[in-house]
Each structure stands twice: as C-alpha cells, then as structure tokens.
Amino acid sequence: MSHQLGRSTWEFSKVRILASAVSVGPKEGRGPLAKDFDIIHDDLHIGQDTWEKAERKLFEEALDLAVQKAGLKKDQIDLLIAGDLLTQIISASFTARYAQIPYLGVYGACSTSMESLALAASLVEGGYANYVVSGCSSHNATAERQYRYPTEYGGQKPPYAQWTVTGAGVAVVGKGLIGPKVRYATIGKIIDMGLKDPFDMGSAMAPAAVDTIEQHFIDTGRRPEDYDLIVTGDLAGVGYPLAKKMLLERGFDLSSVYNDCGLMIYYSDQEVFAGGSGCASSASVTYGHIMKELHKKTLNKVLVVATGALLSPVTYQQGESIPCIAHAVAIENEEE
Amino acid sequence: MSHQLGRSTWEFSKVRILASAVSVGPKEGRGPLAKDFDIIHDDLHIGQDTWEKAERKLFEEALDLAVQKAGLKKDQIDLLIAGDLLTQIISASFTARYAQIPYLGVYGACSTSMESLALAASLVEGGYANYVVSGCSSHNATAERQYRYPTEYGGQKPPYAQWTVTGAGVAVVGKGLIGPKVRYATIGKIIDMGLKDPFDMGSAMAPAAVDTIEQHFIDTGRRPEDYDLIVTGDLAGVGYPLAKKMLLERGFDLSSVYNDCGLMIYYSDQEVFAGGSGCASSASVTYGHIMKELHKKTLNKVLVVATGALLSPVTYQQGESIPCIAHAVAIENEEE
C-alpha cells in the first residue's frame, strides 16, 4: 500500500497525537500563550547548575507528562524520536538515557519538531511501533553561547535577530481513538538562496517554507482555504511577511489563515527582537496552543511548517551560505 | 500489518539494497579492504581547501556513484536520510543541498550508518518512498579537531584511542528484484555504564552493542549461528574483546562469526591505535566490503551492529559520562 503522494508527501489515515505536553521558561510563561503550556518555570536555570542540564530537564519533564497524559508508562513506548539544536543533540540523547526508550536521534535545526513528528507518524501507520514519542527542545542560553557569543559578552544584536525559545514540546503518537489525526507530512528539500548573515534566519528560511508549502499544495491538491491555520515555525518579523509575499506571487493567498509560531509565542514588547526561534518555537506552539485549540474545535485543520537553518558556527566562519529546510505536517480533527 | 517484532525490532520482506558506493581517504586505501572501495583518494584534502569541504566531497561522490550504480537519476530518489559526526551534521546537510533530494537529517554518532539504513528500509517497505538513499560520512581531520584537539597541537593519544575513518558510504534502498535484502532492524536504547574517558570509546560502546545484539536475538528468535558474520561498527581493539566476553557471559557465543569494522578496515601496523572509528567505519565496511561479499555469496547473512557514543565536547567538559547506543540491521541474500 502506497502512502506516497506526489513528490514528497506522506499520507496517513490511522495516526493520532494521543497526548502532548510542553514545558517552558520564564519569558515564554509571560507571553500570550502562557495558559496553553503545561509547565512554566520562573527560573531560566530550571534548578540545574548548567544551561545544558536545564534544557534537558525541560525535555525530560515534558516527556514524562506527555506519556502520563496518554495514560501510558514509559516502558509501553516503543520508540523515542527526538532532537535539539545543541552539538551532537545532547539534550535529546540524554533525555533518551533518562527515558530508557529505544531511540533515534534526528537533526533538522528548528525543523526538528515536524521531522520527528513525521517520522513518528510514518512508523506508527507503517506498523513498526504502537506508540512513538516525538519531540524537541531548545534553550535560549545554550543556543546563544553555541551559535553566537558567550552571553557574558553582552553582544549587541541587530533588530532582525530572533530570540531562541526556552522550552520542550513532546507528542505521543499512536493509533488510539481520540486526539487529532496526523494526516499528511511533506518532507522538504534544501533551499539556499545564498544568504550568509547568521542573525537573519527569517530571511534565509522563508524560501524553504515557501517551497515546502507549495509542494504540499501540489502533492495533496489542497489550497490555503482548506486550512483553518497554517503556521511556520520561526520566520518571525522579517521572514513572515517575506514568505507571505512569495507565496502570493506563486498564486497562494494565505493572508486569512497564516501565522508564525515565532510571532505567536511572545508579546511584541517582550524584547525578543524580530520574534521567537529555536525548535521549541514550533514545538511549544503546536503541542501547547494548537493542540488545545484542536481539542476545543476552535481549530480543525492546521498545517505546521517547521523551518530549519542548517548552518553551523564552522560553516559560517568558513564563509558558507545557509542551507535551509522546512517540513510540513497536517494535523486535524476527524470530520464529523 | 505489523512489522514490529518483540521490544524493538522491525521486520521487512520487500526491501533491498539496490546499490551502494564508498569513497575513502588515503589511509583506508592502504588497508586490507582497499579493493572493496569504489573511490580512493591519495590526498586527505580531497582537492578541497577545508577539511569540512573534503568530507562533504566524499559524501557527494559516494551518493552520485551509488545512485548511478542503481541505474537511477537523483530526481528519481524520493528521500535522502543522512548524518555525520560534525556539529549540526553539516556534511549531510550540505550534501543534501548538492543532491536536491527531500532530506531528513539523523544523528546517532557512529551508529548513524545503521540508523539511516533502518529508517530508509522502514519507509520503503511502508510505502512512503520508492527509493531512499541512506548514508553517512566521517573524516579524520574534521573529527579530530572537533572532538579532541586542534591537529596542529600534535597531542599525544593513549594506545586505546581510535582513528576516525575518512570516508563516506551510501546505499540506495528500494523494492527492486536484485540486491541483498534488508531483513531486520533492531533499534537500540541508551546504555551508559558511567565511563567518562572520551579516548576510550570502545569500552564505553561495548555494553550498548551487547544490549542490542541480545535484544535482536530475543526479538527475532535467531542465534549467533544463524549469521555468517556479525560485525560491530567501531569497538576496535579494546571494545571488541569486551563485547565478545560480555555476550558469552549472557549465553551467546559469537566467536566463530564475530568481527568489528574498526579492526577490519586497517592493518594492525597502520598506526591507528586500537583501530578505526567514526560512522564511516561501519558504512565503508558494510557498503564496500560486506555488500561485495554478499553479491559473491561468500557471505549470505550478515548482522551489522553500528555503535555510537553520544557525547559532545560540552558534556565531556561538564563531567558527564558517555551515553552509548547501537542499532543492528540484518542484511541477507534471499534463500534459494
């Protein structure tokens, strides 16, 4: 049986997000979506002695809570598919050590949220696993010092820079009877327009989001109006209008349904420059806010397009441009 | 239809490795398996001006050759699943930019070779793709300076250290009529025995290999004697005897069928300390040597157990122990 639709879309009929959980830091807890997050920490250290342990702690507690909400125990989970932004994806791997679930690590920068969900859905639908946990994390302080400068430098940033979201979002994927269905996943290819400024992730990633959204419409025959909401992961203030304009030029008017997780997660006066970024941007908004709206049926069909900038500090220093990618997953309530 | 066998094994019936290709550096080209590698470079720079570009070049040419050997064009490949050892898996992502194939990045350190093959097989068998390319790369000079010290320091190493293999190995996975079948994949969980010495990867990873091999036997009902060859990825001189001994203590005598890719790829007098490591260790040996032996039918049933040490320089510096994992894939000729 083929689950392949067009060039790069996977179709699912039986897979649901049985439960999800989100744990975030203090700034996210003061944002407009605070009520949708399960755990909010008022201490960026999350009670740990390193930033890396803090990020890991967020991931572990989101995983525990998601599994508990699904009415399961960790030893009933067949597989953990997870990633994060840190080198050698240590947050995910150390969470896998804690959880003791068979584990596959993935890396798609901020697209990791939907990469892991797409793989989880394909493995459940394909009969390789009954329950898969997918998820990712990011932490402002771990990302800052890895990708940019030691935070102690107090380095100045341009207004088009973004603020890495501190949080972890986890989903439990399975074939149960309740919960929104994972309907499609469109896997992106690398788009690199030659941009080299590591502060301007929004501009670099926007064309990748556009490419995947267009491919999704081509592969599925759907149109923007088929969705209640289409969100990109973290294009924020610079990339969001760019993606909107590019899509319009290609004949897709998303204006009535389009938003961006990096714009949704903070108030504009929260000193986050152009908005949120990091794989926890799309993961927190999707597994916190969007899942709640789907359960309330204020939203019924959502396309989450997680965008990733696949640079490294080494490629930047070597003068390379930024390869970007986006993966889209359609999450929706069953039609009644 | 369930493809799940026991705790963490996936079963396949229709998936084959249609073609594979391996590109390596000069030291590997002087080793005992030289005749099994498709491309051998006598210059560690592979004609590039950075080590990172050199590694990427190996990956790109192995990918091109594997696709060509399969009688396909790159635009017929539905998906690339790839990873490497570098931060933000830049070798894989930049290769994906070059190939322009929809792409999912994975990270399992040196277990990436079998992680990517297992996922490729599951997606082909599950009907999500007709052709998937899976692969990974490592390069001695990129890995040394990232994980240990700048090579210019000329830092001394203990005899139990290993030598990162310079190479890339790529497989084309699909449902064709010829080529060895991918029969099982056993997905590992994290094993961490508390070891902290980043030079002694063999001792750290051996228990993870043992855990996955034992789980593979439990899930499939197979025994060591069902295989012509069981290879671990890169346990080398220290980890290999340790794994063998631990397996014997658990009732599995592998002595007549067990070898290690890190021991097979170099002659003992090649100044590689305890032997080879890096994800190209298992990828080069599997997609070069083992694939050729399977085609010649000198081998018919092989279990490749790729082992990964999921540490990072940051976790090491923060005093953490080394989480390890192993994924096993059974590759075999169809019984006549």
Side-chain angles (χ1 to χ4, degrees):
Chain A
M1 183 187 164
S2 175
H3 292 282
Q4 201 180 1
L5 213 59
R7 176 78 178 104
S8 56
T9 296
W10 302 341
E11 190 174 14
F12 312 106
S13 60
K14 302 170 207 149
V15 186
R16 294 174 193 269
I17 299 179
L18 305 178
S20 67
V22 171
S23 177
V24 298
K27 197 186 273 273
E28 297 68 27
R30 291 191 299 269
L33 305 182
K35 67 180 186 326
D36 294 330
F37 302 138
D38 300 281
I39 303 167
I40 296 172
H41 292 271
D42 56 13
D43 162 27
L44 195 59
H45 280 96
I46 326 289
Q48 306 298 310
D49 59 3
T50 71
W51 296 124
E52 287 72 20
K53 281 184 193 161
E55 180 173 335
R56 207 174 297 169
K57 187 76 187 167
L58 290 169
F59 209 153
E60 291 171 2
E61 63 189 17
L63 184 147
D64 278 344
L65 185 56
V67 171
Q68 183 197 317
K69 280 180 168 185
L72 297 167
K73 305 271 182 203
K74 284 202 285 282
D75 62 8
Q76 292 176 277
I77 307 295
D78 299 307
L79 186 66
L80 168 63
I81 303 181
D84 60 274
L85 300 180
L86 299 186
T87 65
Q88 287 79 44
I89 58 167
I90 50 172
S91 308
S93 294
F94 280 73
T95 298
R97 180 177 75 177
Y98 162 77
Q100 284 296 298
I101 300 168
Y103 163 64
L104 295 173
V106 293
Y107 182 79
C110 308
S111 72
T112 302
S113 59
M114 291 303 112
E115 173 178 353
S116 56
L117 180 60
L119 281 171
S122 71
L123 291 168
V124 168
E125 178 104 10
Y128 298 96
N130 287 317
Y131 301 112
V132 180
V133 165
S134 74
C136 61
S137 66
S138 57
H139 189 293
N140 188 271
T142 62
E144 274 305 308
R145 73 174 176 186
Q146 172 180 286
Y147 281 107
R148 297 175 190 99
Y149 302 104
T151 47
E152 293 80 356
Y153 280 12
Q156 298 296 299
K157 287 190 178 195
Y160 52 84
Q162 294 173 229
W163 184 270
T164 304
V165 170
T166 298
V170 171
V172 180
V173 178
K175 282 189 187 164
L177 295 171
I178 50 163
K181 283 195 162 180
V182 182
R183 189 77 181 86
Y184 296 114
T186 300
I187 306 303
K189 64 178 192 293
I190 303 278
I191 304 289
D192 183 337
M193 305 298 284
L195 301 187
K196 293 186 175 187
D197 181 349
F199 283 112
D200 187 8
M201 293 288 116
S203 298
M205 296 190 295
V210 169
D211 187 77
T212 297
I213 292 169
E214 184 175 28
Q215 193 64 52
H216 178 79
F217 290 144
I218 293 169
D219 288 349
T220 61
R222 286 191 169 183
R223 301 279 310 169
E225 53 272 24
D226 290 321
Y227 288 101
D228 302 326
L229 176 66
I230 297 175
V231 282
T232 41
D234 52 349
L235 298 184
V238 176
Y240 169 76
L242 200 58
K244 202 172 186 173
K245 185 166 170 284
M246 288 176 72
L247 281 159
L248 195 59
E249 285 166 6
R250 297 184 187 200
F252 300 103
D253 181 2
L254 267 63
S255 52
S256 62
V257 293
Y258 182 35
N259 210 336
D260 181 81
C261 300
L263 293 171
M264 294 163 76
I265 195 163
Y266 299 119
Y267 288 113
S268 57
D269 63 358
Q270 276 190 289
E271 296 186 349
V272 292
F273 309 95
S277 67
C279 48
S281 173
S282 54
S284 302
V285 173
T286 303
Y287 296 142
H289 175 68
I290 291 172
M291 279 293 289
K292 291 218 169 126
E293 298 299 315
L294 282 161
H295 278 288
K296 286 190 283 185
K297 308 210 171 180
T298 43
L299 291 174
N300 285 300
K301 279 187 172 183
V302 180
L303 185 69
V304 182
V305 187
T307 37
L310 303 174
L311 81 169
S312 83
V314 169
T315 65
Y316 164 67
Q317 286 162 12
Q318 292 181 348
E320 301 277 1
S321 56
I322 306 171
C324 294
I325 201 160
H327 306 300
V329 177
I331 308 170
E332 46 199 67
N333 287 325
E334 209 151 10
E335 287 180 40
E336 284 166 3
Chain B
M1 183 186 166
S2 175
H3 293 282
Q4 200 180 0
L5 214 59
R7 176 78 178 105
S8 56
T9 296
W10 302 342
E11 189 173 15
F12 314 106
S13 60
K14 302 171 206 147
V15 186
R16 294 174 194 269
I17 299 179
L18 305 178
S20 67
V22 171
S23 178
V24 298
K27 198 186 272 274
E28 295 71 26
R30 291 192 298 271
L33 304 182
K35 66 179 189 324
D36 294 331
F37 301 138
D38 300 281
I39 302 167
I40 296 171
H41 291 272
D42 55 14
D43 161 28
L44 196 60
H45 279 95
I46 327 287
Q48 305 298 308
D49 60 1
T50 70
W51 297 125
E52 287 72 20
K53 282 185 192 161
E55 179 173 335
R56 209 174 294 169
K57 187 76 186 165
L58 291 169
F59 209 152
E60 290 172 4
E61 62 188 17
L63 184 148
D64 278 343
L65 185 57
V67 172
Q68 183 197 315
K69 280 181 169 185
L72 296 166
K73 305 270 183 204
K74 286 202 283 283
D75 63 7
Q76 292 176 277
I77 307 296
D78 298 307
L79 186 66
L80 168 63
I81 303 180
D84 60 275
L85 300 182
L86 300 186
T87 64
Q88 286 78 45
I89 57 167
I90 50 173
S91 308
S93 294
F94 278 73
T95 298
R97 179 176 77 177
Y98 162 78
Q100 284 295 297
I101 300 168
Y103 163 65
L104 295 173
V106 292
Y107 183 78
C110 308
S111 72
T112 302
S113 59
M114 292 302 113
E115 173 177 355
S116 55
L117 180 60
L119 280 171
S122 71
L123 291 168
V124 168
E125 177 104 8
Y128 297 96
N130 287 315
Y131 301 113
V132 180
V133 165
S134 73
C136 61
S137 66
S138 56
H139 189 295
N140 188 272
T142 62
E144 274 305 306
R145 72 175 176 184
Q146 172 180 286
Y147 281 107
R148 295 174 191 100
Y149 301 104
T151 45
E152 293 82 355
Y153 281 11
Q156 298 296 301
K157 287 190 176 197
Y160 53 83
Q162 293 173 232
W163 184 269
T164 304
V165 170
T166 299
V170 171
V172 181
V173 178
K175 281 186 186 166
L177 296 171
I178 48 165
K181 283 195 162 181
V182 182
R183 189 76 181 88
Y184 296 113
T186 300
I187 307 302
K189 65 177 193 292
I190 303 277
I191 305 290
D192 184 336
M193 304 298 284
L195 300 187
K196 294 186 174 187
D197 181 349
F199 283 112
D200 187 9
M201 294 288 116
S203 297
M205 296 191 295
V210 168
D211 187 75
T212 297
I213 291 169
E214 183 174 29
Q215 193 64 52
H216 178 79
F217 290 143
I218 293 169
D219 288 350
T220 62
R222 286 190 169 183
R223 300 279 310 171
E225 52 272 25
D226 289 321
Y227 287 101
D228 302 325
L229 176 67
I230 296 174
V231 281
T232 40
D234 53 349
L235 297 185
V238 176
Y240 170 76
L242 201 57
K244 200 173 187 172
K245 183 164 170 286
M246 288 176 72
L247 281 159
L248 194 59
E249 283 165 5
R250 295 182 188 203
F252 301 104
D253 181 1
L254 268 64
S255 51
S256 60
V257 292
Y258 181 35
N259 210 335
D260 182 79
C261 299
L263 293 172
M264 294 164 76
I265 195 165
Y266 298 120
Y267 289 113
S268 57
D269 63 357
Q270 277 189 289
E271 296 186 351
V272 291
F273 308 95
S277 67
C279 49
S281 173
S282 55
S284 303
V285 173
T286 303
Y287 296 143
H289 174 68
I290 291 171
M291 279 293 287
K292 290 217 170 129
E293 299 298 316
L294 282 161
H295 278 290
K296 286 191 282 185
K297 309 208 172 184
T298 42
L299 291 174
N300 285 301
K301 280 188 171 182
V302 180
L303 186 68
V304 181
V305 188
T307 37
L310 303 174
L311 82 168
S312 84
V314 169
T315 64
Y316 164 67
Q317 285 161 13
Q318 291 181 349
E320 300 278 359
S321 56
I322 306 171
C324 294
I325 200 161
H327 305 301
V329 177
I331 308 170
E332 45 198 67
N333 288 324
E334 211 151 9
E335 287 180 41
E336 286 168 0

